[in-house]
Amino acid sequence: MRIATWNVNSITARLPRLLAWLESSGTDVLCLQETKCTLEQFPAEALREAGYESAVNATGRWNGVALLSRVGLADVVTGLPEGPDYEGVQEPRAVSATCGPARVWSVYVPNGREVDHDHYAYKLRWLEALQKAVAADAAGTRPFAVLGDFNIAPTDEDVWDPALFVGATHVTPAERAALATLREEGLSDVVPRPLKYDHPYTYWDYRQLSFPKNKGMRIDLVYGNASFASAVKDSYVDREERKGKGASDHAPVVVDLDV
């Protein structure tokens, strides 16, 4: 079984690339983030024609998540149970479902913007709610994973130049402590192998030639329980999909499971 996660940075803008990648990669389950569309705009029919069912949490603007599966899609939960609001609404940042033998969450953790911004405090509250929401599944015996854009680099090695991020979000002790608390529910960081260079970055800014210079970050993560982690046979960052015209600023992270 092949599971992947990808911040697609607008599914409507990236649809031809997405469909081509699904066909070439042989992915069974794909977690998408930053779909940037409404439910009505989501290309469910095109994906259905490609063999994928969709579970979507989207309201337009800058957020939105989805799960695509060609191995079944059951017990869908849209949203983060007891998740916090931001400016009076719960943003569309989580969707979960049972896909074949595995329970899967697609999450798009708030960015945080700046350390003294309300969005940063919201990010920490959101992560606390996520930890509580996944606890039961994480402790279960079936394969379970939370995949997505966490907007946090777990260690300094996951940032191309840590000195440039001092005092910024994505690397603060509080954010990393929230990830550690999430892992304490019985989840392991499934670290992918890079297809080039020595570290598996997953995101490169569009500006300042960041991608060709490999000035990246590892912020797209896969956290699996013991049953999931023990079934992992391979994991890699599909860096090739970050290349070329019309690419997302994130690359897919792919996990192969023997389940």
Side-chain angles (χ1 to χ4, degrees):
M1 184 176 181
R2 174 164 285 183
I3 299 179
T5 183
W6 188 8
N7 180 321
V8 75
N9 191 11
S10 176
I11 193 169
T12 52
R14 234 66 67 184
L15 183 59
R17 291 186 70 128
L18 171 62
L19 292 171
W21 186 82
L22 285 169
E23 182 177 6
S24 65
S25 68
T27 297
D28 297 303
V29 179
L30 176 59
C31 301
L32 291 174
Q33 301 86 42
E34 207 171 351
T35 57
K36 291 184 176 178
C37 68
T38 64
L39 283 174
E40 294 74 19
Q41 293 168 329
F42 190 86
E45 184 57 36
L47 290 163
R48 188 177 298 111
E49 291 176 0
Y52 292 86
E53 298 177 82
S54 304
V56 185
N57 185 8
T59 58
R61 302 184 71 185
W62 305 284
N63 304 317
V65 290
L67 274 169
L68 312 181
S69 175
R70 64 178 186 181
V71 293
L73 196 63
D75 302 321
V76 174
V77 177
T78 301
L80 178 61
E82 300 185 21
D85 290 351
Y86 186 70
E87 296 183 341
V89 298
Q90 184 176 137
E91 297 178 325
R93 294 185 174 276
V95 63
S96 56
T98 300
C99 303
R103 183 74 183 170
V104 178
W105 281 63
S106 176
V107 300
Y108 182 33
V109 176
N111 178 282
R113 301 180 187 172
E114 298 174 356
V115 173
D116 59 354
H117 198 285
D118 288 345
H119 208 256
Y120 178 80
Y122 163 62
K123 180 178 191 174
L124 297 179
R125 293 195 304 271
W126 200 94
L127 287 162
E128 182 179 1
L130 177 65
Q131 175 257 318
K132 293 176 181 177
V134 306
D137 280 327
T141 57
R142 69 176 167 181
F144 169 76
V146 186
L147 307 91
D149 180 355
F150 281 73
N151 273 313
I152 304 171
T155 72
D156 281 353
E157 290 185 352
D158 297 307
V159 181
W160 70 275
D161 187 350
L164 295 179
F165 289 83
V166 173
T169 60
H170 291 53
V171 300
T172 65
E175 291 167 289
R176 288 175 171 174
L179 282 186
T181 300
L182 183 62
R183 292 193 297 270
E184 287 171 3
E185 295 297 338
L187 300 175
S188 300
D189 186 355
V190 179
V191 180
R193 60 184 174 89
L195 295 186
K196 187 177 181 180
Y197 300 111
D198 59 355
H199 201 79
Y201 297 142
T202 65
Y203 163 81
W204 301 260
D205 197 299
Y206 285 128
R207 299 168 295 182
Q208 299 177 338
L209 299 175
S210 293
F211 180 65
K213 293 180 179 179
N214 200 37
K215 296 180 177 181
M217 304 175 72
R218 185 173 77 95
I219 57 176
D220 301 270
L221 310 176
V222 177
Y223 276 9
N225 70 353
S227 182
F228 185 96
S230 65
V232 173
K233 298 305 177 185
D234 191 17
S235 183
Y236 62 92
V237 179
D238 190 351
R239 193 178 183 279
E240 294 299 304
E241 194 54 40
R242 177 59 176 80
K243 295 180 178 179
K245 184 178 180 180
S248 171
D249 45 2
H250 295 249
V253 179
V254 180
V255 182
D256 289 333
L257 301 173
D258 185 5
V259 292

